[in-house]
Amino acid sequence: MAKPNYSFEKRQRELAKKQKKEEKLRRKAQPGDAPDDDEAAGPDAPVENAAGDDSAA
């Protein structure tokens, strides 16, 4: 039976982690894209009144 190559497996895991991290950073660097999760529908979603407009009050 062949001996397992733990170094190769560890390197593959590290590369996968690095690739996932870089992809996440790329997604965060593009603010024009719509977010994947429901962050936009949170309690502070109405951004129009955040500039100090008192016309809604």
Side-chain angles (χ1 to χ4, degrees):
M1 189 164 140
K3 186 168 81 167
N5 190 349
Y6 294 113
S7 298
F8 176 77
E9 292 174 10
K10 182 178 180 182
R11 178 71 177 143
Q12 293 303 308
R13 284 194 308 270
E14 289 172 353
L15 288 173
K17 253 191 229 182
K18 185 177 178 183
Q19 185 179 12
K20 189 174 182 180
K21 186 176 181 180
E22 288 174 354
E23 179 63 31
K24 189 174 184 181
L25 288 174
R26 267 189 249 120
R27 279 187 279 139
K28 284 188 175 188
Q30 298 174 350
D33 294 344
D36 291 340
D37 26 353
D38 296 332
E39 291 177 2
D44 56 347
V47 180
E48 303 89 43
N49 294 336
D53 269 347
D54 291 337
S55 61

